Amino acid sequence: MITLNINTKTYNVDVDPNTPLLWVLRDELDLVGTKYGCGVAQCGACVVHLNGEAVRSCVTKVSRAEGQKVVTIEGLAEKHDHPLQVAWQEVDVPQCGYCQSGQIMAAAVLLRENKNPTDADIDAAMSGNICRCGTYLRIRSAIHAAAELQRKTT
Amino acid sequence: MTEQKTSINRRSFLKSSALAGGGLMLSFTWLSAFKLPGEAGKPDVPNWIEVNGYIKITADNVIKILNPNPEFGQNVMTSLPMIVAEELDADWQKVVVEMGPHDSVKLGPQFTGGSNSVRMYWKPLREAGAAARTMLMQAAADTWKVPAEELTTNAGLIVHPKSMKSGTYGEFAAKAAVIPVPKEIKLKDPVKFKVVRSSQKNVEGLKIVSGKPLFGLDYKQEGMLIAMIVHPPAFGMKLKSFDASEALTMAGIKDVFLQKLYPDGFEQGGFDTRSFNDMLVIVGKSTWQVMQARKKLKAQWEPAGDIKDIIGGRGGKKEVIVPGELESTDAQHKKMQEFASKPAQQLRRDGDPETAFKNAAQIIERTYNAPFLAHNCLEPINFFAHVTAEKALVAGPLQAPGWSEPTLAKLLNLPADKIEIQMTRMGGGFGRRAYGHYLYEAAIISQKLNAPVKLMYTREDDMTYGIYRPMYTAIYRAALDANKNLVAFHVKGGGIPEHPIHANRFPAGAVDNYLAEGWQIPSNITIGAFRAPRSNFNAAAEQSFLDELAEAMGKDPIELRLELLQRAKEKPVGKNNEYDADRYAGILKLVKEKSGWNKAENKKYSRGIAAYFCHNSYAAHVVDLTMKNGQPYVERVFSAVDCGIVVNPDAATNMVQGAVVDGIGNAFYGKLTHKDGAAEQTNFHNYRIIRMNEAPKKVEVHFVQNNIDPTGLGEPPFPPVFGAVANALYRAYGKRLYEQPYGPQIPQQTMPDVKRKPVKSKLILNKRRAQ
């Protein structure tokens, strides 16, 4: 049994400790907002927060998350109103939408560390996340919009 | 106002009315099949009254509009219901949108592809909305005992101004549902549109940003098993034998077995396709367990030899021999060069091109090449199936359920009405999910196991399986007279396994002497539609060639195109020219204006222009290239598009921006090569996809404003990006690039501080030619 703290809830899962966190989230806990895209830490669709840091859950063993604090897209904000989630809808970023939870989770760490990121900051922080539909311009806009929302509310 | 006959299947209307008359309809609730954490079993709003196939209304005035067509990011979940809401005169903000079931009788063709969704549903959806509005008004008129002509509607409210009476659509929905469908339906004048032509947010925005289960890979059912297929490592190979003894001892593994996809002699539908027929299937409880155990499967492979396929579909039944050779990219290039010099099939001929070339003062000839491309939808191929002796439920990402259903019925030996196909949101499609083989694979595996199964391809399975954009080449030739007038044009294109030529497109129709030819080489590497099939190569080659031609003729590249289009308009050459010369010229003029084509302040950029017509729409781009960290970088793009009426302008802009980014990425990096039949790129570490730092700072999109019925948008802006990028790279480096992807062809040099003067292109002088 491995005890996990995900989105402030406690879960006990009976899995091989080498199982990537991604598959525990998706197969065992029905938290399917975290996506599988490549399995080798190349696309960023599976980004979650482990103790506040963005990690690729497809290459993060579940044993590494034991007793740590995990946040997924489902738990980023209780009412799904994180400035990024608001801005993403306001800018109408998604096309197919598949990569967007990973994009938002990566952007959330950037925005926490850098309250007013420049385009260059965004390019550097977000180049690990592939969007096959090519919504990058809108992701940039939405991160700027979220930064402004964040400044207004804090 | 126009008055026209309804084009909707009247039977379906009457059928649904009768159903509604017999009681209250329960809505379609495919989402309830998901195990939603925290909201399991949450019931749908009951008591929907079905007004017609697309519209359901409750007595308390909740209006639900069904989206008939599969969603893969082109935003049809929003834009198609907007069309219904427009004619229904519903309050868009209060409309509930839901994905429709697969039901071709009620909901039409339900095909996502060919930039067809809005174009093909434009009229039926307007009529559905207008018919429902008429029926609701008639119900109110009957109730209030006033003439229907005296009623008006406003955002879901029916009003009788004379008596000051008013009521919601919901109040009259039950009564409206049993009123006969009107024979004549009045549609709105487009200038009066309120919902259509207004920018509306994606109706699934909140679900997407909060990680709700929307996609095929998210679909679950109690007791569902995970299945994967171990495919041969190379095209042209098949399974010889396997040993599953170790894999079967691994945790969670339920079964390993060999299963044929299509039985011997099976007639495949035109879009069924498959790369390999023998499925070595491994099934287990969870994804990771199956991934681990498949590594312990010991399989021996052997050459498959030539294979005979029987293909049905629209072209009629035919036998196709799939060659057994283990192909490599270098050898394919050599073979293509050989074929390029052989006689080919004539596709179009105007005037006397041979004589014109013989008498030319100058001939320009260039050869263009492009590799296979993988679609690389970010959601890998997958499908859910639960097949029992009596019925089948299949669910997942699929572009063309109507094409897959007949084959599925044959393979499962079930009648079509016992098969339920649910269409999940797709994590990308780009043409890849028009091919139903993976749905059949899932269903056959479920049938054999008698259990609910999710078939899943890993990224590596997905990338190496095939159904690629074909490998293409084309030779373009132009003949100029002594005054540098274009007197003849010749294109000869070929490919593995199909040629790319659209013979009746520009500049056909604009040149007196014109010849188009095509040839193809059979292959076991499977191919399929890839965002703007064939056009995505032609626009690169032809638009680069026109740029080079303009330079040789001493003309501005936009002006050359406009002159040719003027000729095509005033005195068109030949027949069957597919394009409208005015609309084509319109986008060129618009992009010229919006990009400040001749303005001095833009000279600091290396600028490339390209335009193209496909899927009934027109798109032009001006690409502005700079250098970033010593590498060429597309910093800005100006786009002009004519796709008729734009239903949802901001979402349409998003799509064009995405097409531009996708085009830049594939133009610079897209490439899939083979060695002895095996794909050499297997995942995103060696198949390069454009990323955030390579995306332009700005893509400014302008739509031509007109009242032409919508003509498609998902594909048209994609092809001309390649040509515009190639032409901008030439301005930056002074060297023309003929091989895609362009990235590896770019001269390795440090950043030029000052823009270099382009090197004069070498022209082949006619008299110097050996033959």
Side-chain angles (χ1 to χ4, degrees), chain B residues 397-415:
Chain B
L398 189 65
Q399 287 179 234
W403 294 354
S404 299
E405 192 182 65
T407 297
L408 188 60
K410 268 199 288 177
L411 286 171
L412 298 179
N413 198 22
L414 282 172

Side-chain angles (χ1 to χ4, degrees), chain B residues 240-392:
Chain B
K240 187 181 178 191
S241 61
F242 71 97
D243 174 2
S245 50
E246 192 183 351
L248 282 165
T249 64
M250 307 242 327
I253 299 306
K254 296 279 184 192
D255 206 350
V256 176
F257 56 92
L258 182 63
Q259 171 73 42
K260 271 188 177 153
L261 171 57
Y262 304 126
D264 293 338
F266 185 82
E267 184 182 328
Q268 299 173 38
F271 276 74
D272 289 345
T273 318
R274 56 104 181 83
S275 297
F276 308 103
N277 205 51
D278 286 342
M279 304 190 291
L280 177 55
V281 182
I282 178 161
V283 185
K285 268 173 66 187
S286 74
T287 311
W288 181 247
Q289 289 171 328
V290 176
M291 281 179 168
Q292 292 307 100
R294 72 182 276 181
K295 292 181 192 165
K296 304 290 182 189
L297 260 180
K298 293 180 186 75
Q300 282 81 45
W301 313 95
E302 63 184 351
D306 293 357
I307 291 169
K308 188 173 75 184
D309 266 349
I310 302 165
I311 314 280
R314 274 187 290 183
K317 188 170 162 179
K318 60 179 185 238
E319 282 188 11
V320 178
I321 301 296
V322 181
E325 191 186 337
L326 304 183
E327 299 179 30
S328 297
T329 302
D330 288 347
Q332 287 169 329
H333 273 302
K334 282 199 190 103
K335 211 182 220 180
M336 287 174 95
Q337 278 172 6
E338 276 169 38
F339 270 69
S341 61
K342 290 181 186 174
Q345 185 195 354
Q346 180 178 302
L347 304 169
R348 171 168 169 152
R349 182 192 180 85
D350 298 316
D352 183 354
E354 286 81 6
T355 305
F357 273 98
K358 207 172 127 202
N359 297 334
Q362 188 181 330
I363 292 174
I364 303 171
E365 176 181 321
R366 299 291 180 262
T367 302
Y368 300 85
N369 290 300
F372 288 108
L373 295 175
H375 296 78
N376 289 329
C377 306
L378 204 57
E379 179 193 16
I381 291 294
N382 69 88
F383 227 85
F384 169 84
H386 190 187
V387 179
T388 63
E390 297 79 34
K391 60 179 182 172

Side-chain angles (χ1 to χ4, degrees), chain B residues 611-640:
Chain B
Y612 201 69
F613 158 82
C614 69
H615 300 88
N616 300 74
S617 291
Y618 304 79
H621 305 292
V622 168
V623 156
D624 281 348
L625 195 105
T626 54
M627 301 299 285
K628 189 162 102 175
N629 305 324
Q631 293 298 315
Y633 169 60
V634 177
E635 186 179 304
R636 317 188 298 193
V637 179
F638 296 87
S639 305

Side-chain angles (χ1 to χ4, degrees), chain B residues 21-317:
Chain B
L24 298 170
M25 278 288 293
L26 276 182
S27 71
F28 173 66
T29 57
W30 70 271
L31 266 169
S32 61
F34 283 130
K35 274 199 296 174
L36 285 176
E39 49 181 290
K42 187 180 163 191
D44 205 340
V45 181
N47 300 339
W48 293 102
I49 301 146
E50 182 162 320
V51 183
N52 60 42
Y54 299 97
I55 302 164
K56 295 173 183 184
I57 302 177
T58 62
D60 53 358
N61 204 35
V62 180
I63 297 173
K64 180 184 281 185
I65 301 178
L66 297 192
N67 164 39
N69 236 28
E71 171 68 81
F72 69 173
Q74 83 280 43
N75 206 32
V76 283
M77 275 294 280
T78 307
S79 55
L80 292 184
M82 281 172 70
I83 299 169
V84 179
E86 177 67 66
E87 294 286 351
L88 178 61
D89 199 9
D91 180 352
W92 175 251
Q93 302 310 327
K94 291 184 184 158
V95 165
V96 178
V97 172
E98 194 171 81
M99 182 67 213
H102 178 234
D103 184 345
S104 56
V105 174
K106 273 192 194 176
L107 299 180
Q110 302 193 286
F111 164 61
T112 281
S115 299
N116 259 324
S117 296
V118 169
R119 187 159 72 99
M120 113 187 132
Y121 275 103
W122 175 246
K123 204 170 162 213
L125 293 184
R126 290 182 72 190
E127 287 172 347
R133 176 174 170 270
T134 306
M135 289 151 73
L136 288 160
M137 286 167 76
Q138 188 60 53
D142 293 349
T143 306
W144 294 335
K145 304 204 178 355
V146 298
E149 296 74 42
E150 291 181 4
L151 301 182
T152 60
T153 60
N154 182 23
L157 207 63
I158 303 171
V159 183
H160 183 241
K162 275 190 188 171
S163 65
M164 304 285 280
K165 278 184 177 140
S166 71
T168 64
Y169 284 179
E171 289 171 44
F172 301 102
K175 208 165 183 178
V178 292
I179 286 176
V181 179
K183 284 181 183 152
E184 304 287 332
I185 295 173
K186 286 179 185 171
L187 297 179
K188 273 190 184 173
D189 183 335
V191 300
K192 292 186 178 153
F193 285 160
K194 289 185 283 190
V195 181
V196 167
R197 285 184 157 152
S198 70
S199 289
Q200 300 297 339
K201 305 289 183 215
N202 190 328
V203 295
E204 297 206 291
L206 178 61
K207 287 180 189 165
I208 290 168
V209 302
S210 58
K212 289 283 182 298
L214 290 170
F215 300 92
L217 215 53
D218 304 340
Y219 195 101
K220 284 191 180 183
Q221 257 195 19
E222 203 58 46
M224 183 179 87
L225 298 169
I226 300 291
M228 293 191 192
I229 301 170
V230 181
H231 295 294
F235 293 93
M237 301 291 278
K238 66 171 184 178
L239 187 70
K240 187 181 178 191
S241 61
F242 71 97
D243 174 2
S245 50
E246 192 183 351
L248 282 165
T249 64
M250 307 242 327
I253 299 306
K254 296 279 184 192
D255 206 350
V256 176
F257 56 92
L258 182 63
Q259 171 73 42
K260 271 188 177 153
L261 171 57
Y262 304 126
D264 293 338
F266 185 82
E267 184 182 328
Q268 299 173 38
F271 276 74
D272 289 345
T273 318
R274 56 104 181 83
S275 297
F276 308 103
N277 205 51
D278 286 342
M279 304 190 291
L280 177 55
V281 182
I282 178 161
V283 185
K285 268 173 66 187
S286 74
T287 311
W288 181 247
Q289 289 171 328
V290 176
M291 281 179 168
Q292 292 307 100
R294 72 182 276 181
K295 292 181 192 165
K296 304 290 182 189
L297 260 180
K298 293 180 186 75
Q300 282 81 45
W301 313 95
E302 63 184 351
D306 293 357
I307 291 169
K308 188 173 75 184
D309 266 349
I310 302 165
I311 314 280
R314 274 187 290 183
K317 188 170 162 179

Side-chain angles (χ1 to χ4, degrees), chain A residues 26-27 30 35 90 136, chain B residues 201 218 220 287 425 690:
Chain A
R26 291 186 57 85
D27 284 359
D30 291 338
K35 300 302 187 201
E90 195 49 44
Y136 297 121
Chain B
K201 305 289 183 215
D218 304 340
K220 284 191 180 183
T287 311
R425 191 177 184 88
I690 188 168

Side-chain angles (χ1 to χ4, degrees), chain A residues 9 11 14-20 23-45 56 58 73-77 79-81 84-101 103-104 119 122-141 143, chain B residues 35 37 71-75 200-202 205-215 217-220 226 285-288 291-292 374-380 425-428 430 454 456-460 530-531 628 633 648-651 653-659 661-662 666 683-687 689-699:
Chain A
K9 282 186 202 147
Y11 297 88
D14 183 15
V15 293
D16 174 350
N18 290 320
T19 308
W23 297 114
V24 177
L25 294 171
R26 291 186 57 85
D27 284 359
E28 311 296 327
L29 305 177
D30 291 338
L31 292 167
V32 295
T34 306
K35 300 302 187 201
Y36 167 73
C38 69
V40 292
Q42 290 289 317
C43 78
R56 311 295 173 112
C58 73
I73 187 72
E74 290 90 345
L76 181 63
K79 292 176 180 167
H80 311 307
D81 57 356
L84 287 163
Q85 289 168 310
V86 174
W88 238 250
Q89 292 175 77
E90 195 49 44
V91 176
D92 222 4
V93 173
Q95 286 188 32
C96 86
Y98 192 78
C99 74
Q100 301 295 350
S101 35
Q103 303 275 4
I104 290 171
D119 277 356
I122 294 171
D123 284 1
M126 301 297 293
S127 288
N129 289 68
I130 288 173
C131 172
R132 183 64 188 83
C133 302
T135 65
Y136 297 121
L137 282 82
R138 286 181 182 237
I139 292 173
R140 263 192 221 125
S141 303
I143 293 174
Chain B
K35 274 199 296 174
E71 171 68 81
F72 69 173
Q74 83 280 43
N75 206 32
Q200 300 297 339
K201 305 289 183 215
N202 190 328
L206 178 61
K207 287 180 189 165
I208 290 168
V209 302
S210 58
K212 289 283 182 298
L214 290 170
F215 300 92
L217 215 53
D218 304 340
Y219 195 101
K220 284 191 180 183
I226 300 291
K285 268 173 66 187
S286 74
T287 311
W288 181 247
M291 281 179 168
Q292 292 307 100
H375 296 78
N376 289 329
C377 306
L378 204 57
E379 179 193 16
R425 191 177 184 88
M426 288 176 262
F430 311 104
K454 166 75 67 61
M456 193 190 141
Y457 281 35
T458 61
R459 172 56 56 198
E460 290 81 3
F530 182 108
R531 197 173 200 170
K628 189 162 102 175
Y633 169 60
N648 190 354
D650 185 56
T653 299
N654 192 354
M655 183 129 69
V656 177
Q657 291 169 330
V661 172
D662 189 6
N666 275 297
N683 204 323
F684 298 131
H685 67 287
N686 58 7
Y687 194 114
I689 306 280
I690 188 168
R691 290 174 183 269
M692 177 69 84
N693 58 323
E694 295 145 346
K697 288 183 182 163
K698 181 171 91 167
V699 178

